[in-house]
Structure formats: C-alpha cells, structure tokens
Amino acid sequence: MDKSKIGQHISEQFNKELEDIRHKVLTMGGLVEQQIAHAVEAYKTGNMELAEQVIKGDNEVDSMEIAIDLECTQIMALRQPTAFDLRLLITVLRVIHEIEQVGDKAERIADMAIKLAGSDSRFPHHELEHMAELVQGMFHDALDAFARMSIEGVPAITALDDKVDREYDNILRQLITRMMEDPRNITRTLDVLWTVRALERIGDLACYICEHLVFMIKGEEVHHLNRPKLVKKVNVPRQ
C-alpha cells in the first residue's frame, strides 16, 4: 500500500487535511529522531549544552502531539471518516503517542548525561553506543514505514528488538557486577541503568509503531501477537 490511498475523495479539502496530518506526524518524528541523536551524543561526550537543548526541546514535541491530536479529533467530528480513512486517523493518534514517549526517553537520557557529566560512570561505553545505534535505526525505519504507508519492513524492524533485549541483558549483568564489586558505584551505576532502560524502551516503542501500521493497513489489531505470529500476519495478503 502507498500514499495513493490518500487522495481518492470527492472533497479535495479532505485529501489535503489527511496529507497535512501525515506530514505533521513525520515532522514530529523527525524532531524526535534529532532529540535521540543529540541526547546520545551528549551522554557520550558530556556536552551539557546539547543535553539542555534536548530537555528544552521536549516542550515542542509535546505541543506538536497536542496539535495533531486536536486536528485528528476535528476531522473525525466533521468528516465522519470510515474504513481506511478512519484507521489512518486512529493510527495517527496512536503513533504520535509513541513518538512523544520516545521524546520523553530522549529527555531522560539527556538528564542522565547531565548527572553523569565529569564521571567515569557512563560505563559501558561501547555496548551502550551499539545499543543506541540499534534503537535509532529501528525508530527511523518505523517512521519511514509510516511515511511510505507500508508494512513490508515490519518483520525486519521487530526482529531487531530481540537483539536490543540481548544487549540490554548483557549490559545489565555488567552493571550488577560493577555494583557488587564496589558498593560505592551503586548510585552512579543506577543512573547508567536508567539510560540503558530508556534506550531499550525506544526499541519497544518503535515496534509499537509497527503494530499500529499493521492495524492501519490490514485492519486488524496485532498488539497481542508474538513476533512469529505478527510476521505471519504481515505476510498474509488481506482478503
């Protein structure tokens, strides 16, 4: 399925409204993508100015969510959409919630960057940076799937979540070992754990966006399915 689903209405204004909504979601997603990148960079480098920029930018993300939510609600009330149009608007409402949550996780990472500035407690650098690359890629690809209105890439995106979970478990074991070796590390290490947990949640949220897309395209709720069943659902042509 592609964007040709938008633009098949008698009302040209309705077509424009739907396309405008889609564009605003992608703009919001692009902003949050930047927030993640800046937060991770601030954490890696101790750049406090960049971290503060992320924290301040969260208000803009929240404002965009509120505006898009209001616009969707108004369209539903005035246009009374059905079938794909209704699923599109419902999906938008769900997706912007997930995007806003990703923005909150970026803010959390920026907060931790400030707390850990000047210490060596950002450990473990390499593993955390690799995990950050994975979830950034997942979020980017989920937004790209929304932009193309396609679920073709959903299996590949959701498959990466298992890898993210393994990375998370590995880092968690390292952090626990560090705390056991020296209790003086506990407070700082817990701050690192909050950062890792925020990254793991971004991966989950990217998967949720994929599930919402399947609902939009297939017209079926799949949030209760495990990954093999989700992949099967994606690959089965709609009747």
Side-chain angles (χ1 to χ4, degrees), residues 21 26 46 64 83 93 95 131 141 188 214 223 236:
I21 285 282
L26 294 174
M64 293 178 78
L93 291 172
V95 167
M131 186 176 175
D141 290 346
R188 288 288 188 178
V214 174
H223 65 275
V236 173

Side-chain angles (χ1 to χ4, degrees), residues 151 217-218 220 231-239:
I151 57 175
I217 303 299
K218 296 277 189 175
E220 298 180 48
V231 171
K232 183 177 180 180
K233 184 69 68 175
V234 169
N235 292 332
V236 173
R238 190 182 174 199
Q239 299 299 318

Side-chain angles (χ1 to χ4, degrees), residues 164-191:
V164 170
D165 289 343
R166 288 194 296 271
E167 295 272 347
Y168 174 76
D169 290 341
N170 180 49
I171 294 173
L172 181 59
R173 285 193 294 270
Q174 293 183 55
L175 294 177
I176 291 173
T177 299
R178 194 178 193 215
M179 289 187 286
M180 291 175 64
E181 289 175 346
D182 187 349
R184 292 174 297 178
N185 291 327
I186 290 177
T187 300
R188 288 288 188 178
T189 304
L190 287 175
D191 288 336

Side-chain angles (χ1 to χ4, degrees), residues 2-6 14-30 68 71-72 75 84 88-89 92 95-96 99 143-150 213 216:
D2 57 29
K3 290 183 290 183
S4 63
K5 272 287 187 179
I6 298 177
F14 189 18
N15 296 334
K16 290 179 180 178
E17 289 168 359
L18 292 177
E19 183 60 32
D20 179 62
I21 285 282
R22 198 181 67 87
H23 176 73
K24 287 178 179 177
V25 173
L26 294 174
T27 300
M28 180 183 176
I68 296 170
E71 192 169 345
C72 284
I75 291 175
F84 178 81
L88 170 61
L89 292 170
V92 165
V95 167
I96 60 173
I99 293 174
L143 291 177
D144 182 63
F146 178 84
R148 293 183 292 107
M149 300 179 76
S150 168
L213 289 175
M216 181 177 72

Side-chain angles (χ1 to χ4, degrees), residues 42-49 51 109-122 188 191:
Y43 184 87
K44 287 163 51 178
T45 64
N47 187 327
M48 295 301 94
E49 183 178 345
I109 295 168
D111 283 333
M112 291 302 104
I114 293 173
K115 288 190 69 175
L116 294 168
S119 76
D120 64 349
S121 297
R122 288 187 297 261
R188 288 288 188 178
D191 288 336

Side-chain angles (χ1 to χ4, degrees), residues 19 35 40 52 54 58 63 90 93 115 120 163 238:
E19 183 60 32
Q35 292 282 84
V40 171
E52 292 288 355
V54 172
D58 191 57
S63 296
I90 292 173
L93 291 172
K115 288 190 69 175
D120 64 349
K163 192 170 185 178
R238 190 182 174 199

